[in-house]
Amino acid sequence: MARRPGSFTRVAQPVRSFWSRFAFALLLAGAFALMLLGKADILLVDRFRAGVADLLAPVLEVLSEPAASVADAAAAIRRLRDLRAENERLRIDNERLDRWQHVARRLEAENKALRALTNFVPEPNTAFITARVIADAGGAFVRSAMINAGQDQGVRRGLAAVTGDGLVGSIVEVGLRHARILLITDLNSQIPVVVERTRDPAVLAGDNTRLPRLVYLPQNAQLQVGDRVVTSGHGGVFPPGLPIGMVTSVEEGAVKVTPYVDWNRLEYVRILDYGLDGVVKPSGGVPPYTVMTPDQSSGGRLLGLGSK
Amino acid sequence: MRMTAVQRFDLWLRHATPVGLAVLLAILSVVPVGIPGYAVVVPAYTTMGAFYWAVFRPDLQPPIALFLVGVLQDVLAATPLGTTALCLMVVHGLAVSQRRAFLGKPFVLTWFGFVLIYALAATLIWCLVSVLSLQPIGPGPAVFQYLVTVTLFPVVAWVFVRVHRHVVR
């Protein structure tokens, strides 16, 4: 289609020359503006992020499959090599666990009986959604992962994501078919925890390294290397007792925790729905941390494929 | 000489390659690969691309496309919106302004240029993100990512050279 030299060109020409001259500066300013806009925690920005990520979720889903299978194959070869030793270890483990199972059964029965005696308010039933990790965002500034389940599957903001080993993080962004987990190692992640042995409450604060720190410990806390750290359930975001990690160094002013989760093999996660109302409602204004923003969708609660 | 529709489409495809490649790299940089510690130091592939094409074919890398690729990567990686976009723009701007120094010179010089320019951009971004999150972010991961990116640049640039020669022309 031939273009006639007409009015359109005459109008477009100055615009175009203006653009070509100032495009770069305008875009730089645009990037700055976006940064501020994102900081202001505007709903529109959240929607935009979720929308774009939703569009790309299928692409990531397909791409993450071969990458995962290559990693799987490599791991399979390594396992094949260690088969005998592994077998021996498992046999011993099994014996030990059998004994533990026995203890657990006894304790469960005892627990049930005691609860019946004391009119204990039981924890609500748990539903869970299992999802695959389709993107693993790292770099210098964030620790987050994207999964292939979203609003359609019943994922909501604030739910806990776990693996068999322990707590992975919490859901901070939910699209229709994807959701984003803020890992417990992220700078913005702060989780109320309790040290299992001493019952000392604290907050587990991520700092983008592999070892998050325990902060706000009581003055007289007597921690040891090897103490287990679990969620405390304070704030009503996470249920109490989810295993998180182990204290690996206690120094002046810095208690480091090694999470149980194997970050290198983060393939599937379980999103736990304890039916907790979750998210702490802020009293005045919206704090900058996105998990704290009250959930906008107050529709009926959906339950995923979980057990009931 | 007038081109046929097919030729025109072919040319368009070839010219869209740098931007298309940038989009692909942005997506690839968040795909989990299962290498221990990879996610922490995932090299800034898009930045390498931005630098390469800014030096050798700036006409095929319009700033607006680069901006959009940056925003896309920000969305995927959950970095504060605009940071990667700004990083790419800064690298692009500096590289375009200095490209005469690299053209027709040995590759080592280009590499050196990338080392310097990316250092500037990375420092700027680190400062901005620290300001945005109202606390200094531990520089460790940022430094690691910088080193990995700089070290891998020749490898990725080799791929870009192939693409440049055989696809873009």
mmCIF file of all heavy atoms in Angstrom, chain B residues 105-113:
data_model
loop_
_atom_site.group_PDB
_atom_site.id
_atom_site.type_symbol
_atom_site.label_atom_id
_atom_site.label_comp_id
_atom_site.label_asym_id
_atom_site.label_seq_id
_atom_site.Cartn_x
_atom_site.Cartn_y
_atom_site.Cartn_z
ATOM 1 N N LYS B 105 38.260 -2.643 16.558
ATOM 2 C CA LYS B 105 39.359 -2.907 17.486
ATOM 3 C C LYS B 105 39.273 -4.368 17.938
ATOM 4 O O LYS B 105 38.254 -5.026 17.759
ATOM 5 C CB LYS B 105 39.251 -1.981 18.696
ATOM 6 C CG LYS B 105 39.266 -0.517 18.346
ATOM 7 C CD LYS B 105 40.664 0.007 18.167
ATOM 8 C CE LYS B 105 40.666 1.361 17.471
ATOM 9 N NZ LYS B 105 39.818 2.345 18.122
ATOM 10 N N PRO B 106 40.339 -4.872 18.558
ATOM 11 C CA PRO B 106 40.265 -6.261 19.040
ATOM 12 C C PRO B 106 39.160 -6.435 20.083
ATOM 13 O O PRO B 106 38.770 -5.472 20.761
ATOM 14 C CB PRO B 106 41.643 -6.492 19.671
ATOM 15 C CG PRO B 106 42.391 -5.249 19.556
ATOM 16 C CD PRO B 106 41.647 -4.273 18.755
ATOM 17 N N PHE B 107 38.712 -7.689 20.198
ATOM 18 C CA PHE B 107 37.554 -7.955 21.053
ATOM 19 C C PHE B 107 37.827 -7.610 22.510
ATOM 20 O O PHE B 107 36.935 -7.189 23.244
ATOM 21 C CB PHE B 107 37.150 -9.427 20.934
ATOM 22 C CG PHE B 107 36.055 -9.803 21.893
ATOM 23 C CD1 PHE B 107 34.752 -9.388 21.657
ATOM 24 C CD2 PHE B 107 36.327 -10.529 23.038
ATOM 25 C CE1 PHE B 107 33.745 -9.691 22.539
ATOM 26 C CE2 PHE B 107 35.327 -10.837 23.935
ATOM 27 C CZ PHE B 107 34.036 -10.418 23.679
ATOM 28 N N VAL B 108 39.111 -7.792 22.918
ATOM 29 C CA VAL B 108 39.456 -7.553 24.319
ATOM 30 C C VAL B 108 39.061 -6.140 24.733
ATOM 31 O O VAL B 108 38.593 -5.900 25.850
ATOM 32 C CB VAL B 108 40.969 -7.772 24.538
ATOM 33 C CG1 VAL B 108 41.341 -7.454 25.970
ATOM 34 C CG2 VAL B 108 41.332 -9.193 24.200
ATOM 35 N N LEU B 109 39.204 -5.207 23.814
ATOM 36 C CA LEU B 109 38.869 -3.820 24.116
ATOM 37 C C LEU B 109 37.368 -3.676 24.370
ATOM 38 O O LEU B 109 36.937 -2.972 25.286
ATOM 39 C CB LEU B 109 39.304 -2.934 22.953
ATOM 40 C CG LEU B 109 39.528 -1.477 23.346
ATOM 41 C CD1 LEU B 109 40.719 -1.340 24.245
ATOM 42 C CD2 LEU B 109 39.672 -0.624 22.096
ATOM 43 N N THR B 110 36.574 -4.376 23.537
ATOM 44 C CA THR B 110 35.123 -4.350 23.722
ATOM 45 C C THR B 110 34.764 -4.913 25.098
ATOM 46 O O THR B 110 33.932 -4.366 25.806
ATOM 47 C CB THR B 110 34.447 -5.195 22.629
ATOM 48 O OG1 THR B 110 35.016 -4.848 21.383
ATOM 49 C CG2 THR B 110 32.957 -4.951 22.602
ATOM 50 N N TRP B 111 35.422 -6.008 25.412
ATOM 51 C CA TRP B 111 35.184 -6.663 26.705
ATOM 52 C C TRP B 111 35.465 -5.676 27.841
ATOM 53 O O TRP B 111 34.688 -5.505 28.769
ATOM 54 C CB TRP B 111 36.087 -7.905 26.791
ATOM 55 C CG TRP B 111 35.779 -8.810 27.942
ATOM 56 C CD1 TRP B 111 34.750 -8.684 28.825
ATOM 57 C CD2 TRP B 111 36.501 -9.971 28.323
ATOM 58 N NE1 TRP B 111 34.787 -9.703 29.739
ATOM 59 C CE2 TRP B 111 35.861 -10.512 29.452
ATOM 60 C CE3 TRP B 111 37.641 -10.615 27.819
ATOM 61 C CZ2 TRP B 111 36.297 -11.653 30.089
ATOM 62 C CZ3 TRP B 111 38.083 -11.764 28.457
ATOM 63 C CH2 TRP B 111 37.411 -12.273 29.575
ATOM 64 N N PHE B 112 36.618 -5.008 27.708
ATOM 65 C CA PHE B 112 37.024 -4.044 28.710
ATOM 66 C C PHE B 112 35.980 -2.930 28.828
ATOM 67 O O PHE B 112 35.604 -2.515 29.926
ATOM 68 C CB PHE B 112 38.396 -3.476 28.345
ATOM 69 C CG PHE B 112 38.958 -2.567 29.381
ATOM 70 C CD1 PHE B 112 39.254 -3.033 30.644
ATOM 71 C CD2 PHE B 112 39.170 -1.222 29.104
ATOM 72 C CE1 PHE B 112 39.759 -2.184 31.618
ATOM 73 C CE2 PHE B 112 39.678 -0.375 30.073
ATOM 74 C CZ PHE B 112 39.974 -0.858 31.322
ATOM 75 N N GLY B 113 35.488 -2.495 27.677
ATOM 76 C CA GLY B 113 34.445 -1.474 27.665
ATOM 77 C C GLY B 113 33.229 -1.939 28.437
ATOM 78 O O GLY B 113 32.652 -1.191 29.243
#
